[in-house]
Amino acid sequence: MNTGGNSLPSGPDGSKRKVCYFHDPDIGNYYYGIGHPMRPYRTAMTFSLLKNYNLLQHMQVFKPAPAQETDLRSFHADDYVDFLKRVTPENQKEHLLQLKRFNLGVFDCPVFDGLYSYCRSYAGGSISGAVRLNNGLSDIAVNWAGGLHHAKNCGASGFCYVNDIVLAILELLANHQRVLYVDIDVHHGDGVEEAFYTTDRVMTVSFHKFGNYFPGTGHILDIGYGEGKYYSVNIPLHEGIDDESYQLLFKPIMSKVMEVYRPEAVVLQCGADSLSGDRLGRFNLTVKGHAECVKYMRSFNVPLLLLGGGGYTLRNVARCWCYEVFSRTSLN
Ligand code: YEV
Ligand code: CA
Ligand code: ZN
């Protein structure tokens, strides 16, 4: 087998993949609060699994440079970034109007200690990954702390504060004419779809549970607008879908998208809340079925940014993401 330092075994096409992996050793210390489903600690668990299986030798591991304020402002509104920077659990009660305006401090998106450095850290990983793909330094860049697809330009939503995916795609657009975004999180990728709804330079494709479920968007007839018409694709699904049915949709749809759109870079949001047994998700995918999507997108040999996202049954998340960066199924 064709394994080498800092690269994964050869793919079905026989070529080596240079892989970089972004990990912040402090990520596990950010805490959304008692009982909150989102636990940044899951990426520390994933890292620990990779380390103990001796798999880190196959990739270049970096601590992400925190995203700069100017990076965040390339998508987010100035007053929202200013507020994220200033607000703390202690002073939040003095800013009730702004909390409401930016959808912060409520049950889904609490203000917690270190919130702004958390945002800079996970966004930094995704942006740095995009920069390495742009420079041809890596073929695949991984940031499991990123993939926070619900954040909007002017506010938080669904556990997401800044939209690292939009920031990474903006970075990729500096070097690439067309970028494809694919989202296998159980929820609709609303923040990313909205950001690029009127452009044909980014095609967004989301598979999600639809019907009486957060965030409520992602109707099959939402297809983009203006220049972006036909460049947003939504695949609304019922709960309980299994590997077989999911692949019967995923492969033909993504094969057609790749053939027709011919993206120069692909961003895959690998939200693990689409796995069976997730605390919030309602799909029935196995780790193997989930990883099959990664394997399939990898097989096109286009620069690939792999991001995390949802995933609320911690042990399953760590198993899934560990398997996806190195396994016979997804990466050989
Ligand atoms: C989502 N938010 C969520 C679990 C154990 O469902 C919502 C809310 C009500 C919601 C919503 C629902 C719709 O069907 C349509 C539109 C909607 N807009 C909103 C705001 C967000 C999921 C993001 C991935 N929250 C929880 N699902 C949840 C949050 C908790 C926060 C603190 C402590 C415990 C929590 N437990 C939860 O579920
Ligand atoms: Ca999705
Ligand atoms: Zn989700």
Side-chain angles (χ1 to χ4, degrees), residues 253-264:
I253 291 170
M254 293 324 303
S255 141
K256 199 66 183 173
V257 163
M258 292 303 289
E259 177 195 325
V260 172
Y261 190 59
R262 292 177 297 108
E264 296 177 351

Side-chain angles (χ1 to χ4, degrees), residues 14-61:
S15 65
K16 278 194 181 185
R17 284 6 189 266
K18 282 179 287 175
V19 179
C20 64
Y21 186 102
F22 288 87
H23 177 70
D24 178 351
D26 298 324
I27 196 74
N29 298 329
Y30 297 109
Y31 187 60
Y32 279 65
I34 299 168
H36 197 291
M38 178 58 112
R39 311 266 297 276
Y41 177 67
R42 65 212 173 117
T43 56
M45 285 173 65
T46 308
F47 188 76
S48 167
L49 266 186
L50 285 166
K51 193 159 117 190
N52 286 289
Y53 282 133
N54 252 322
L55 296 173
L56 292 171
Q57 57 181 320
H58 301 285
M59 43 205 125
Q60 277 181 292
V61 178

Side-chain angles (χ1 to χ4, degrees), residues 272-283 310-313 316-317:
D273 48 8
S274 43
L275 291 174
S276 185
D278 188 81
R279 181 170 163 201
L280 302 188
R282 294 287 172 263
F283 285 176
Y312 305 102
T313 298
N316 294 346
V317 180

Side-chain angles (χ1 to χ4, degrees), residues 130-137 168-179 201 263-265 303:
V131 168
R132 288 190 65 84
L133 296 177
N134 275 350
N135 296 337
L137 294 170
I169 291 175
L170 291 173
E171 187 69 47
L172 289 169
L173 286 173
N175 268 43
H176 299 286
Q177 198 43 235
R178 290 175 308 283
V179 175
R201 288 193 61 202
E264 296 177 351

Side-chain angles (χ1 to χ4, degrees), residues 20 24 30 106 199 214 270 281 293 313 315:
C20 64
D24 178 351
Y30 297 109
V106 282
T199 177
F214 181 87
C270 303
C293 300
T313 298
R315 59 185 182 280

